[in-house]
Amino acid sequence: MATLWLAGAWGSFAADAAVAPPAKPPETTTAAADEIVVLDGTNLWRYFPVADATHMRQADGSIIRTEVDWEGNPLKTGWNPANSSPLPPAGWAGLEFDDSAWPRVRLPQPAVPSVAVLGISRGGFHEGWRHFDTVLACLRGKFEVKGSSKVKSLRLSLDYWGGVVVYVNGKEAARGNVRPGQTNLAATVADEYPEEAWTKPDGKPLEMWMGDDKYKDRFALRNRRLNEVEIPSALLKPGSNVLAIEVHAAPFHYKAVWGGEAPQWRPAWPPIGLSSVRL
């Protein structure tokens, strides 16, 4: 049985364990003698992030699109289109797409900087917080198949924040926490998180680096997973194949801010990320 298992999500922030609280490790599966892991977090992935307006759930229940100002000025409604980055080209998830111009990265992505990189000082936080502008991350990984008829089954597991849509050779194969029918890359938003994932019991923001065990149940609410999802082997082709993953941001909760009242509002953690993949 050939197994395609993608594992590497943000629950544990394996690449930067000092930033986030420890999370329960992903479940491990003992591979059978004829199983082959063809892609995982140790592989290099082609990566294309997209910056755009952030969605935020307000106290009245409505969702607005906001511009987070990183210099401590007021949180702005609306978005300056000049600050948006382009979407990936049409057909980006397909086998024939040329991704050679995309940088190669390792998981997790988008990468969350360490506390040292964030630059905690009397001057406040610096450029490390720019990843909160990322509302979409597209990743491509390639693997070889020597005769697709020999593949009895293909299984995918991945850990993430936000929501994901998975493609094999350009065909949708799975999705998690992204509602069916959402196909517009620019408009797709992942399922919301409960308020408890954003706040402490007193209603104050729960920052992403607060590792106190008394909040571990709330931190765990942030971690989402697709586990052992069966991928149709009919999607495979002899030779080179592409696993493409869209990662979409979930809306912020209006209580998910720290630093006092506006104009110091800043998000407590980024609701987007792919930390582990196993195919």
Side-chain angles (χ1 to χ4, degrees), residues 212-229:
D212 197 316
D213 283 346
K214 67 182 177 181
Y215 301 129
K216 62 182 180 181
D217 291 341
R218 296 189 174 226
F219 283 122
L221 294 174
R222 301 175 177 181
N223 304 327
R224 292 171 169 175
R225 180 173 175 83
L226 289 180
N227 189 49
E228 296 290 301
V229 174

Side-chain angles (χ1 to χ4, degrees), residues 55-64 160-163 176-179 182 188-198 221-224 248-255 269 271:
H55 289 79
M56 185 175 72
R57 175 71 70 182
Q58 298 192 106
D60 64 4
S62 64
I63 289 183
I64 62 171
Y160 58 94
W161 286 353
N177 299 104
V178 175
R179 294 187 303 279
Q182 293 194 83
T188 297
V189 183
D191 295 341
E192 290 188 62
Y193 284 92
E195 181 178 329
E196 291 77 13
W198 297 100
L221 294 174
R222 301 175 177 181
N223 304 327
R224 292 171 169 175
H248 295 274
F252 289 105
H253 192 279
Y254 77 98
K255 291 186 178 180
W269 62 281

